[in-house]
Amino acid sequence: MDLKGRDFLKLLDFTPEEIVYLIDLAAELKDKKKRGILVDTLQGKNVALIFEKTSTRTRCAFEVAAHDLGMGTTYLDPKASQIGKKESIADTARVLSGMFEGIEYRGFEQAIVEELAEYSKVPVWNGLTNEFHPTQMLADLLTIREHFGRLKGIKLTYMGDARYNMGNSLMVACAKMGMRFTACTMEKYFPAGELVEQCREIAAKTGGSIVLTEDVEEGTKGADVIYTDVWVSMGEPDEIWEERIRDLAPYQVNRHVMDNAGNKAVFMHCLPAFHNLKTETGAEMGRRFALTEMEVTDEVFESPQSLVFEEAENRMHTIKAVMMATVSADGKARKKRKVQAKVDPGLLEGKSLREVRYLPDSEVQWILSSEECEVEETDGFIIMPIEEAREKFSEIREILATESEQTVLFRKGRHSNKWYDFIGKA
Ligand code: CP
Ligand code: NVA
């Protein structure tokens, strides 16, 4: 399995086999770390860690993992860098690509990390956006697999705000791994219909399933994993607390929920958690709304069923696996470069794909190897201007292979349920 040069932006971009590969690698790295075996094969490399939102686990996991692998780290917080205020994401990506072998980004809209990746020449890792938290997913899957010995068929119930990063990501992760995902919450907190449909399509192939329910008894009955997250996420306004507490209080994870799930069930939470009043926010909400705990009771959080600290530790091992798998030790598997020159549609007439790949100094920028001929077809390949290709296929970003210093073969995301391959000249 070669993931060198790949971005890690959301699990939707990865096949089940690739996800399992990353979990296996994390398990191997964890075992080696426990046995004191050093794996520092990325010595001399450096990674940038951009945090537009605060973090304990994700930042520490990236820093420790990078250091273990022999890499240097540079931490950029929202106040200390020019990002967004004086320098665009596209420019930042190109600047950092020249100095680092990988870039972690935690921020707001998913579109920002996607743009960063589009312009970066080195792998970009999503350290949490409003929509997705993919590195958390690998840690959660590893934790579940360690506990139950498998992933397929495991029933995970998520309670709380299921339309945000954690609900979305867990639904995708479960669909990919052939698990049953249940969102147990008020209907207005169900994940977006489009993503639910996409996950149902995936689940149909993997043997997983997606359930949406407002009913706590039904949603938690017999679940293997009960999962929750804070009721108000980073970046959301303070005014929202009152409504959230009112809406989500019936979906608190408490003893009744765990008993309904059964004594083999485990409790998970990405953390940080409001399970008592020993935090500033917890104490404030306690005062304002006469609460002693929020999304999970202290009793469940501290119970033997709770896996939260194993889960937190696994953040480090799984993030290490992502960096190890995607950073190229020899620096050759660089990502695509941004293409600027124009297409000459006539140039490839009669040439095979192989010949085309090694065409010197050609003006050709993209070849789409699909059957849907738009502009012109030569030898089974369709040629169209880059602007058209970009417009039509908005997510050209994943690398399949680097053919030479000059030429890179890309695979982009789905368009009208079809996959397309691209050849781009660097
Ligand atoms: N779970 C998680 O992402 O934690 P941090 O916000 O502390 O990074
Ligand atoms: N939903 C939470 C997750 C924190 C890891 C947030 O975005 O704040």
Side-chain angles (χ1 to χ4, degrees):
M1 180 84 56
D2 183 10
L3 300 181
K4 295 281 180 253
R6 286 274 295 273
D7 298 314
F8 190 73
L9 305 178
K10 53 189 184 301
L11 286 198
L12 283 172
D13 301 335
F14 286 77
T15 64
E17 294 72 30
E18 288 169 341
I19 296 168
V20 169
Y21 168 79
L22 288 169
I23 300 170
D24 287 346
L25 181 58
E28 184 191 322
L29 290 167
K30 180 174 180 176
D31 178 60
K32 288 200 167 128
K33 171 112 181 167
K34 302 274 174 206
R35 292 196 285 132
I37 301 169
L38 211 61
V39 183
D40 55 357
T41 48
L42 293 175
Q43 272 193 42
K45 309 286 166 203
N46 290 286
V47 295
L49 308 176
I50 306 172
F51 281 83
E52 309 257 34
K53 289 175 176 170
T54 53
S55 167
T56 297
R57 274 146 295 273
T58 310
R59 176 183 174 184
C60 294
F62 268 100
E63 293 211 15
V64 172
H67 295 156
D68 280 0
L69 290 169
M71 297 196 287
T73 57
T74 300
Y75 172 71
L76 292 159
D77 75 22
K79 290 189 197 76
S81 79
Q82 317 278 26
I83 301 167
K85 295 176 285 290
K86 285 168 67 184
E87 193 156 34
S88 69
I89 290 295
D91 292 356
T92 303
R94 287 172 288 178
V95 169
L96 297 182
S97 295
M99 301 182 198
F100 295 94
E101 275 75 26
I103 304 170
E104 179 278 349
Y105 182 85
R106 166 173 285 199
F108 294 85
E109 287 79 29
Q110 179 74 14
I112 299 174
V113 77
E114 302 267 352
E115 186 183 354
L116 188 71
E118 188 177 338
Y119 284 91
S120 168
K121 292 177 192 163
V122 297
V124 171
W125 309 300
N126 177 0
L128 177 143
T129 58
N130 295 348
E131 291 88 343
F132 294 110
H133 196 3
T135 60
Q136 178 76 50
M137 289 310 102
L138 294 182
D140 294 349
L141 292 173
L142 175 62
T143 310
I144 294 169
R145 198 177 75 174
E146 283 173 344
H147 186 84
F148 291 101
R150 71 194 158 95
L151 290 170
K152 206 167 169 55
I154 292 292
K155 302 186 278 287
L156 183 148
T157 295
Y158 180 85
M159 306 180 81
D161 183 359
R163 356 145 270 185
Y164 220 69
N165 42 29
M166 288 306 303
N168 289 343
S169 302
L170 285 163
M171 181 168 68
V172 174
C174 290
K176 290 271 180 185
M177 293 296 105
M179 296 161 65
R180 187 181 81 183
F181 173 82
T182 301
C184 179
T185 185
M186 251 179 122
E187 191 176 344
K188 75 186 209 204
Y189 299 103
F190 285 170
E194 207 179 309
L195 187 62
V196 172
E197 278 321 302
Q198 203 177 348
C199 287
R200 284 198 166 130
E201 273 177 36
I202 297 167
K205 294 195 198 98
T206 61
S209 57
I210 312 293
V211 179
L212 308 176
T213 178
E214 290 197 307
D215 188 307
V216 173
E217 302 302 311
E218 179 199 319
T220 61
K221 187 91 205 147
D224 298 305
V225 181
I226 300 287
Y227 203 119
T228 191
D229 180 19
V230 288
W231 287 340
V232 175
S233 287
M234 289 183 277
E236 294 197 288
D238 270 355
E239 302 79 75
I240 208 84
W241 273 106
E242 190 174 350
E243 182 187 341
R244 285 292 161 78
I245 288 172
R246 195 184 55 235
D247 289 348
L248 297 177
Y251 299 95
Q252 180 191 60
V253 178
N254 49 35
R255 180 47 44 210
H256 172 74
V257 164
M258 294 308 292
D259 286 348
N260 192 44
N263 56 13
K264 293 215 175 67
V266 296
F267 169 70
M268 293 178 70
H269 191 310
C270 55
L271 304 184
F274 293 118
H275 59 98
N276 58 31
L277 303 182
K278 294 179 187 163
T279 60
E280 277 173 31
T281 310
E284 186 195 332
M285 296 311 147
R287 262 194 316 276
R288 277 174 60 191
F289 303 105
L291 300 167
T292 51
E293 50 224 342
M294 285 194 267
E295 72 272 11
V296 55
T297 58
D298 200 46
E299 184 193 3
V300 169
F301 187 90
E302 298 292 357
S303 72
Q305 282 169 291
S306 172
L307 297 185
V308 295
F309 297 112
E310 287 88 334
E311 190 183 352
E313 181 192 320
N314 282 340
R315 296 298 309 286
M316 199 284 283
H317 305 299
T318 44
I319 281 173
K320 191 188 278 181
V322 170
M323 290 197 287
M324 182 151 173
T326 57
V327 171
S328 166
D330 59 9
K332 286 214 177 96
R334 303 279 287 179
K335 281 184 53 184
K336 68 182 166 62
R337 274 127 269 215
K338 191 157 165 65
V339 177
Q340 278 160 2
K342 280 205 320 254
V343 168
D344 174 354
L347 207 63
L348 299 185
E349 200 78 59
K351 299 245 174 5
S352 71
L353 176 61
R354 192 167 176 77
E355 287 172 291
V356 166
R357 255 181 222 169
Y358 293 100
L359 266 184
D361 301 315
S362 88
E363 287 284 291
V364 177
Q365 297 300 318
W366 300 97
I367 305 157
L368 315 184
S369 59
S370 91
E371 310 79 40
E372 275 179 11
C373 182
E374 285 281 320
V375 179
E376 188 174 341
E377 191 166 353
T378 63
D379 226 19
F381 304 112
I382 299 151
I383 305 160
M384 65 168 64
I386 177 64
E387 288 76 19
E388 259 182 61
R390 279 204 180 282
E391 211 170 283
K392 193 157 183 242
F393 311 102
S394 58
E395 293 172 76
I396 306 166
R397 54 174 60 92
E398 237 177 88
I399 300 178
L400 284 186
T402 306
E403 290 293 327
S404 71
E405 285 289 297
Q406 287 276 300
T407 315
V408 190
L409 172 62
F410 301 98
R411 181 170 190 141
K412 77 148 289 293
R414 280 154 65 98
H415 178 79
S416 315
N417 294 326
K418 283 175 66 71
W419 283 90
Y420 295 84
D421 290 332
F422 293 78
I423 302 285
K425 183 172 149 293

PDB file of all heavy atoms in Angstrom, residues 12-40:
ATOM      1  N   LEU A  12     -13.742   9.927   3.704  1.00  0.00           N
ATOM      2  CA  LEU A  12     -14.432   9.686   2.432  1.00  0.00           C
ATOM      3  C   LEU A  12     -13.444   9.512   1.284  1.00  0.00           C
ATOM      4  O   LEU A  12     -13.745   8.861   0.284  1.00  0.00           O
ATOM      5  CB  LEU A  12     -15.353  10.871   2.099  1.00  0.00           C
ATOM      6  CG  LEU A  12     -16.678  10.957   2.846  1.00  0.00           C
ATOM      7  CD1 LEU A  12     -17.363  12.282   2.556  1.00  0.00           C
ATOM      8  CD2 LEU A  12     -17.594   9.785   2.498  1.00  0.00           C
ATOM      9  N   ASP A  13     -12.251  10.102   1.415  1.00  0.00           N
ATOM     10  CA  ASP A  13     -11.252  10.032   0.341  1.00  0.00           C
ATOM     11  C   ASP A  13     -10.474   8.711   0.355  1.00  0.00           C
ATOM     12  O   ASP A  13      -9.618   8.491  -0.499  1.00  0.00           O
ATOM     13  CB  ASP A  13     -10.232  11.174   0.487  1.00  0.00           C
ATOM     14  CG  ASP A  13     -10.880  12.544   0.453  1.00  0.00           C
ATOM     15  OD1 ASP A  13     -11.976  12.660  -0.126  1.00  0.00           O
ATOM     16  OD2 ASP A  13     -10.294  13.499   0.999  1.00  0.00           O
ATOM     17  N   PHE A  14     -10.722   7.865   1.351  1.00  0.00           N
ATOM     18  CA  PHE A  14      -9.920   6.649   1.504  1.00  0.00           C
ATOM     19  C   PHE A  14     -10.778   5.399   1.374  1.00  0.00           C
ATOM     20  O   PHE A  14     -11.930   5.387   1.790  1.00  0.00           O
ATOM     21  CB  PHE A  14      -9.202   6.659   2.870  1.00  0.00           C
ATOM     22  CG  PHE A  14      -8.055   7.641   2.883  1.00  0.00           C
ATOM     23  CD1 PHE A  14      -8.297   9.001   2.996  1.00  0.00           C
ATOM     24  CD2 PHE A  14      -6.749   7.202   2.705  1.00  0.00           C
ATOM     25  CE1 PHE A  14      -7.253   9.915   2.960  1.00  0.00           C
ATOM     26  CE2 PHE A  14      -5.703   8.107   2.672  1.00  0.00           C
ATOM     27  CZ  PHE A  14      -5.949   9.466   2.798  1.00  0.00           C
ATOM     28  N   THR A  15     -10.176   4.348   0.811  1.00  0.00           N
ATOM     29  CA  THR A  15     -10.905   3.078   0.701  1.00  0.00           C
ATOM     30  C   THR A  15     -10.849   2.367   2.060  1.00  0.00           C
ATOM     31  O   THR A  15      -9.952   2.644   2.870  1.00  0.00           O
ATOM     32  CB  THR A  15     -10.244   2.156  -0.349  1.00  0.00           C
ATOM     33  OG1 THR A  15      -8.920   1.824   0.129  1.00  0.00           O
ATOM     34  CG2 THR A  15     -10.139   2.814  -1.706  1.00  0.00           C
ATOM     35  N   PRO A  16     -11.763   1.434   2.289  1.00  0.00           N
ATOM     36  CA  PRO A  16     -11.688   0.658   3.537  1.00  0.00           C
ATOM     37  C   PRO A  16     -10.308   0.005   3.720  1.00  0.00           C
ATOM     38  O   PRO A  16      -9.774  -0.025   4.825  1.00  0.00           O
ATOM     39  CB  PRO A  16     -12.784  -0.390   3.370  1.00  0.00           C
ATOM     40  CG  PRO A  16     -13.788   0.259   2.461  1.00  0.00           C
ATOM     41  CD  PRO A  16     -12.986   1.097   1.510  1.00  0.00           C
ATOM     42  N   GLU A  17      -9.733  -0.470   2.633  1.00  0.00           N
ATOM     43  CA  GLU A  17      -8.422  -1.139   2.733  1.00  0.00           C
ATOM     44  C   GLU A  17      -7.352  -0.153   3.181  1.00  0.00           C
ATOM     45  O   GLU A  17      -6.467  -0.484   3.974  1.00  0.00           O
ATOM     46  CB  GLU A  17      -8.010  -1.750   1.377  1.00  0.00           C
ATOM     47  CG  GLU A  17      -8.878  -2.903   0.893  1.00  0.00           C
ATOM     48  CD  GLU A  17     -10.276  -2.456   0.432  1.00  0.00           C
ATOM     49  OE1 GLU A  17     -10.414  -1.303  -0.050  1.00  0.00           O
ATOM     50  OE2 GLU A  17     -11.228  -3.249   0.554  1.00  0.00           O
ATOM     51  N   GLU A  18      -7.420   1.063   2.653  1.00  0.00           N
ATOM     52  CA  GLU A  18      -6.428   2.081   3.048  1.00  0.00           C
ATOM     53  C   GLU A  18      -6.588   2.453   4.526  1.00  0.00           C
ATOM     54  O   GLU A  18      -5.608   2.659   5.242  1.00  0.00           O
ATOM     55  CB  GLU A  18      -6.573   3.320   2.156  1.00  0.00           C
ATOM     56  CG  GLU A  18      -6.089   3.082   0.735  1.00  0.00           C
ATOM     57  CD  GLU A  18      -6.467   4.203  -0.234  1.00  0.00           C
ATOM     58  OE1 GLU A  18      -7.380   4.993   0.068  1.00  0.00           O
ATOM     59  OE2 GLU A  18      -5.855   4.260  -1.308  1.00  0.00           O
ATOM     60  N   ILE A  19      -7.840   2.516   4.973  1.00  0.00           N
ATOM     61  CA  ILE A  19      -8.089   2.863   6.382  1.00  0.00           C
ATOM     62  C   ILE A  19      -7.546   1.749   7.285  1.00  0.00           C
ATOM     63  O   ILE A  19      -6.861   2.019   8.279  1.00  0.00           O
ATOM     64  CB  ILE A  19      -9.602   3.108   6.617  1.00  0.00           C
ATOM     65  CG1 ILE A  19     -10.053   4.332   5.799  1.00  0.00           C
ATOM     66  CG2 ILE A  19      -9.897   3.319   8.095  1.00  0.00           C
ATOM     67  CD1 ILE A  19     -11.560   4.513   5.703  1.00  0.00           C
ATOM     68  N   VAL A  20      -7.823   0.510   6.905  1.00  0.00           N
ATOM     69  CA  VAL A  20      -7.320  -0.621   7.703  1.00  0.00           C
ATOM     70  C   VAL A  20      -5.791  -0.622   7.702  1.00  0.00           C
ATOM     71  O   VAL A  20      -5.154  -0.875   8.734  1.00  0.00           O
ATOM     72  CB  VAL A  20      -7.887  -1.962   7.178  1.00  0.00           C
ATOM     73  CG1 VAL A  20      -7.171  -3.151   7.805  1.00  0.00           C
ATOM     74  CG2 VAL A  20      -9.384  -2.041   7.466  1.00  0.00           C
ATOM     75  N   TYR A  21      -5.208  -0.291   6.572  1.00  0.00           N
ATOM     76  CA  TYR A  21      -3.741  -0.229   6.491  1.00  0.00           C
ATOM     77  C   TYR A  21      -3.199   0.779   7.510  1.00  0.00           C
ATOM     78  O   TYR A  21      -2.232   0.504   8.233  1.00  0.00           O
ATOM     79  CB  TYR A  21      -3.330   0.169   5.067  1.00  0.00           C
ATOM     80  CG  TYR A  21      -1.876   0.549   4.937  1.00  0.00           C
ATOM     81  CD1 TYR A  21      -0.878  -0.434   4.869  1.00  0.00           C
ATOM     82  CD2 TYR A  21      -1.485   1.892   4.900  1.00  0.00           C
ATOM     83  CE1 TYR A  21       0.453  -0.081   4.772  1.00  0.00           C
ATOM     84  CE2 TYR A  21      -0.154   2.252   4.794  1.00  0.00           C
ATOM     85  CZ  TYR A  21       0.817   1.266   4.732  1.00  0.00           C
ATOM     86  OH  TYR A  21       2.139   1.613   4.637  1.00  0.00           O
ATOM     87  N   LEU A  22      -3.840   1.939   7.604  1.00  0.00           N
ATOM     88  CA  LEU A  22      -3.378   2.971   8.552  1.00  0.00           C
ATOM     89  C   LEU A  22      -3.571   2.511  10.003  1.00  0.00           C
ATOM     90  O   LEU A  22      -2.720   2.759  10.862  1.00  0.00           O
ATOM     91  CB  LEU A  22      -4.116   4.294   8.299  1.00  0.00           C
ATOM     92  CG  LEU A  22      -3.697   5.029   7.012  1.00  0.00           C
ATOM     93  CD1 LEU A  22      -4.660   6.172   6.705  1.00  0.00           C
ATOM     94  CD2 LEU A  22      -2.267   5.558   7.117  1.00  0.00           C
ATOM     95  N   ILE A  23      -4.669   1.815  10.267  1.00  0.00           N
ATOM     96  CA  ILE A  23      -4.901   1.318  11.634  1.00  0.00           C
ATOM     97  C   ILE A  23      -3.868   0.232  11.980  1.00  0.00           C
ATOM     98  O   ILE A  23      -3.306   0.210  13.081  1.00  0.00           O
ATOM     99  CB  ILE A  23      -6.345   0.780  11.787  1.00  0.00           C
ATOM    100  CG1 ILE A  23      -7.365   1.885  11.494  1.00  0.00           C
ATOM    101  CG2 ILE A  23      -6.585   0.251  13.200  1.00  0.00           C
ATOM    102  CD1 ILE A  23      -8.795   1.376  11.380  1.00  0.00           C
ATOM    103  N   ASP A  24      -3.615  -0.639  11.010  1.00  0.00           N
ATOM    104  CA  ASP A  24      -2.603  -1.686  11.245  1.00  0.00           C
ATOM    105  C   ASP A  24      -1.232  -1.066  11.511  1.00  0.00           C
ATOM    106  O   ASP A  24      -0.500  -1.495  12.400  1.00  0.00           O
ATOM    107  CB  ASP A  24      -2.481  -2.606  10.011  1.00  0.00           C
ATOM    108  CG  ASP A  24      -3.677  -3.532   9.863  1.00  0.00           C
ATOM    109  OD1 ASP A  24      -4.455  -3.667  10.829  1.00  0.00           O
ATOM    110  OD2 ASP A  24      -3.844  -4.109   8.769  1.00  0.00           O
ATOM    111  N   LEU A  25      -0.909  -0.060  10.709  1.00  0.00           N
ATOM    112  CA  LEU A  25       0.392   0.601  10.883  1.00  0.00           C
ATOM    113  C   LEU A  25       0.462   1.257  12.266  1.00  0.00           C
ATOM    114  O   LEU A  25       1.487   1.182  12.956  1.00  0.00           O
ATOM    115  CB  LEU A  25       0.594   1.643   9.766  1.00  0.00           C
ATOM    116  CG  LEU A  25       1.908   2.421   9.769  1.00  0.00           C
ATOM    117  CD1 LEU A  25       3.123   1.494   9.679  1.00  0.00           C
ATOM    118  CD2 LEU A  25       1.940   3.424   8.601  1.00  0.00           C
ATOM    119  N   ALA A  26      -0.629   1.888  12.683  1.00  0.00           N
ATOM    120  CA  ALA A  26      -0.667   2.525  13.997  1.00  0.00           C
ATOM    121  C   ALA A  26      -0.470   1.478  15.107  1.00  0.00           C
ATOM    122  O   ALA A  26       0.278   1.713  16.069  1.00  0.00           O
ATOM    123  CB  ALA A  26      -1.998   3.254  14.187  1.00  0.00           C
ATOM    124  N   ALA A  27      -1.125   0.335  14.949  1.00  0.00           N
ATOM    125  CA  ALA A  27      -0.992  -0.728  15.963  1.00  0.00           C
ATOM    126  C   ALA A  27       0.465  -1.197  16.036  1.00  0.00           C
ATOM    127  O   ALA A  27       1.006  -1.426  17.129  1.00  0.00           O
ATOM    128  CB  ALA A  27      -1.918  -1.892  15.611  1.00  0.00           C
ATOM    129  N   GLU A  28       1.080  -1.306  14.873  1.00  0.00           N
ATOM    130  CA  GLU A  28       2.488  -1.745  14.832  1.00  0.00           C
ATOM    131  C   GLU A  28       3.400  -0.697  15.493  1.00  0.00           C
ATOM    132  O   GLU A  28       4.286  -1.028  16.288  1.00  0.00           O
ATOM    133  CB  GLU A  28       2.867  -1.938  13.349  1.00  0.00           C
ATOM    134  CG  GLU A  28       4.244  -2.480  13.113  1.00  0.00           C
ATOM    135  CD  GLU A  28       4.623  -2.385  11.628  1.00  0.00           C
ATOM    136  OE1 GLU A  28       3.748  -2.607  10.755  1.00  0.00           O
ATOM    137  OE2 GLU A  28       5.797  -2.042  11.361  1.00  0.00           O
ATOM    138  N   LEU A  29       3.157   0.569  15.181  1.00  0.00           N
ATOM    139  CA  LEU A  29       3.979   1.641  15.762  1.00  0.00           C
ATOM    140  C   LEU A  29       3.763   1.741  17.269  1.00  0.00           C
ATOM    141  O   LEU A  29       4.691   2.027  18.027  1.00  0.00           O
ATOM    142  CB  LEU A  29       3.643   2.981  15.084  1.00  0.00           C
ATOM    143  CG  LEU A  29       4.099   3.098  13.623  1.00  0.00           C
ATOM    144  CD1 LEU A  29       3.452   4.313  12.953  1.00  0.00           C
ATOM    145  CD2 LEU A  29       5.622   3.185  13.534  1.00  0.00           C
ATOM    146  N   LYS A  30       2.526   1.489  17.689  1.00  0.00           N
ATOM    147  CA  LYS A  30       2.212   1.524  19.129  1.00  0.00           C
ATOM    148  C   LYS A  30       2.982   0.412  19.842  1.00  0.00           C
ATOM    149  O   LYS A  30       3.616   0.633  20.879  1.00  0.00           O
ATOM    150  CB  LYS A  30       0.696   1.346  19.324  1.00  0.00           C
ATOM    151  CG  LYS A  30       0.253   1.355  20.769  1.00  0.00           C
ATOM    152  CD  LYS A  30      -1.269   1.332  20.870  1.00  0.00           C
ATOM    153  CE  LYS A  30      -1.734   1.338  22.310  1.00  0.00           C
ATOM    154  NZ  LYS A  30      -3.188   1.412  22.426  1.00  0.00           N
ATOM    155  N   ASP A  31       2.948  -0.768  19.253  1.00  0.00           N
ATOM    156  CA  ASP A  31       3.636  -1.906  19.841  1.00  0.00           C
ATOM    157  C   ASP A  31       5.144  -1.623  19.944  1.00  0.00           C
ATOM    158  O   ASP A  31       5.774  -1.874  20.970  1.00  0.00           O
ATOM    159  CB  ASP A  31       3.364  -3.145  18.967  1.00  0.00           C
ATOM    160  CG  ASP A  31       4.078  -4.367  19.492  1.00  0.00           C
ATOM    161  OD1 ASP A  31       3.789  -4.739  20.644  1.00  0.00           O
ATOM    162  OD2 ASP A  31       4.936  -4.933  18.785  1.00  0.00           O
ATOM    163  N   LYS A  32       5.690  -1.060  18.871  1.00  0.00           N
ATOM    164  CA  LYS A  32       7.128  -0.772  18.873  1.00  0.00           C
ATOM    165  C   LYS A  32       7.467   0.251  19.945  1.00  0.00           C
ATOM    166  O   LYS A  32       8.459   0.131  20.653  1.00  0.00           O
ATOM    167  CB  LYS A  32       7.570  -0.290  17.501  1.00  0.00           C
ATOM    168  CG  LYS A  32       7.589  -1.411  16.479  1.00  0.00           C
ATOM    169  CD  LYS A  32       8.450  -1.073  15.293  1.00  0.00           C
ATOM    170  CE  LYS A  32       8.700  -2.313  14.448  1.00  0.00           C
ATOM    171  NZ  LYS A  32       8.383  -2.120  13.046  1.00  0.00           N
ATOM    172  N   LYS A  33       6.620   1.274  20.051  1.00  0.00           N
ATOM    173  CA  LYS A  33       6.867   2.317  21.057  1.00  0.00           C
ATOM    174  C   LYS A  33       6.853   1.701  22.460  1.00  0.00           C
ATOM    175  O   LYS A  33       7.702   1.998  23.288  1.00  0.00           O
ATOM    176  CB  LYS A  33       5.805   3.409  20.919  1.00  0.00           C
ATOM    177  CG  LYS A  33       5.819   4.440  22.023  1.00  0.00           C
ATOM    178  CD  LYS A  33       6.237   5.806  21.559  1.00  0.00           C
ATOM    179  CE  LYS A  33       6.240   6.784  22.725  1.00  0.00           C
ATOM    180  NZ  LYS A  33       6.913   8.020  22.437  1.00  0.00           N
ATOM    181  N   LYS A  34       5.875   0.830  22.709  1.00  0.00           N
ATOM    182  CA  LYS A  34       5.770   0.203  24.041  1.00  0.00           C
ATOM    183  C   LYS A  34       7.003  -0.649  24.335  1.00  0.00           C
ATOM    184  O   LYS A  34       7.405  -0.808  25.468  1.00  0.00           O
ATOM    185  CB  LYS A  34       4.521  -0.694  24.135  1.00  0.00           C
ATOM    186  CG  LYS A  34       3.223   0.033  23.869  1.00  0.00           C
ATOM    187  CD  LYS A  34       2.646   0.693  25.102  1.00  0.00           C
ATOM    188  CE  LYS A  34       1.431   1.519  24.749  1.00  0.00           C
ATOM    189  NZ  LYS A  34       1.134   2.608  25.605  1.00  0.00           N
ATOM    190  N   ARG A  35       7.548  -1.234  23.276  1.00  0.00           N
ATOM    191  CA  ARG A  35       8.724  -2.102  23.480  1.00  0.00           C
ATOM    192  C   ARG A  35      10.044  -1.327  23.397  1.00  0.00           C
ATOM    193  O   ARG A  35      11.122  -1.907  23.411  1.00  0.00           O
ATOM    194  CB  ARG A  35       8.699  -3.247  22.457  1.00  0.00           C
ATOM    195  CG  ARG A  35       7.542  -4.208  22.751  1.00  0.00           C
ATOM    196  CD  ARG A  35       7.671  -5.527  22.050  1.00  0.00           C
ATOM    197  NE  ARG A  35       7.356  -5.426  20.636  1.00  0.00           N
ATOM    198  CZ  ARG A  35       8.095  -5.929  19.660  1.00  0.00           C
ATOM    199  NH1 ARG A  35       9.216  -6.559  19.936  1.00  0.00           N
ATOM    200  NH2 ARG A  35       7.725  -5.803  18.406  1.00  0.00           N
ATOM    201  N   GLY A  36       9.932  -0.032  23.257  1.00  0.00           N
ATOM    202  CA  GLY A  36      11.137   0.805  23.241  1.00  0.00           C
ATOM    203  C   GLY A  36      11.905   0.752  21.924  1.00  0.00           C
ATOM    204  O   GLY A  36      13.081   1.111  21.871  1.00  0.00           O
ATOM    205  N   ILE A  37      11.237   0.295  20.866  1.00  0.00           N
ATOM    206  CA  ILE A  37      11.920   0.237  19.561  1.00  0.00           C
ATOM    207  C   ILE A  37      11.704   1.558  18.824  1.00  0.00           C
ATOM    208  O   ILE A  37      10.571   1.968  18.568  1.00  0.00           O
ATOM    209  CB  ILE A  37      11.389  -0.947  18.706  1.00  0.00           C
ATOM    210  CG1 ILE A  37      11.599  -2.255  19.453  1.00  0.00           C
ATOM    211  CG2 ILE A  37      12.040  -0.967  17.326  1.00  0.00           C
ATOM    212  CD1 ILE A  37      10.894  -3.451  18.833  1.00  0.00           C
ATOM    213  N   LEU A  38      12.797   2.196  18.514  1.00  0.00           N
ATOM    214  CA  LEU A  38      12.746   3.516  17.880  1.00  0.00           C
ATOM    215  C   LEU A  38      12.390   3.392  16.394  1.00  0.00           C
ATOM    216  O   LEU A  38      12.953   2.567  15.686  1.00  0.00           O
ATOM    217  CB  LEU A  38      14.149   4.118  18.004  1.00  0.00           C
ATOM    218  CG  LEU A  38      14.316   5.602  18.110  1.00  0.00           C
ATOM    219  CD1 LEU A  38      13.604   6.123  19.347  1.00  0.00           C
ATOM    220  CD2 LEU A  38      15.809   5.941  18.172  1.00  0.00           C
ATOM    221  N   VAL A  39      11.434   4.198  15.944  1.00  0.00           N
ATOM    222  CA  VAL A  39      11.143   4.246  14.492  1.00  0.00           C
ATOM    223  C   VAL A  39      11.294   5.703  14.066  1.00  0.00           C
ATOM    224  O   VAL A  39      10.352   6.481  14.101  1.00  0.00           O
ATOM    225  CB  VAL A  39       9.708   3.751  14.176  1.00  0.00           C
ATOM    226  CG1 VAL A  39       9.457   3.751  12.669  1.00  0.00           C
ATOM    227  CG2 VAL A  39       9.456   2.377  14.747  1.00  0.00           C
ATOM    228  N   ASP A  40      12.518   6.059  13.703  1.00  0.00           N
ATOM    229  CA  ASP A  40      12.761   7.473  13.371  1.00  0.00           C
ATOM    230  C   ASP A  40      13.234   7.627  11.928  1.00  0.00           C
ATOM    231  O   ASP A  40      14.208   8.297  11.629  1.00  0.00           O
ATOM    232  CB  ASP A  40      13.745   8.105  14.354  1.00  0.00           C
ATOM    233  CG  ASP A  40      15.052   7.334  14.439  1.00  0.00           C
ATOM    234  OD1 ASP A  40      15.161   6.287  13.773  1.00  0.00           O
ATOM    235  OD2 ASP A  40      15.953   7.777  15.156  1.00  0.00           O
TER     236      ASP A  40
END
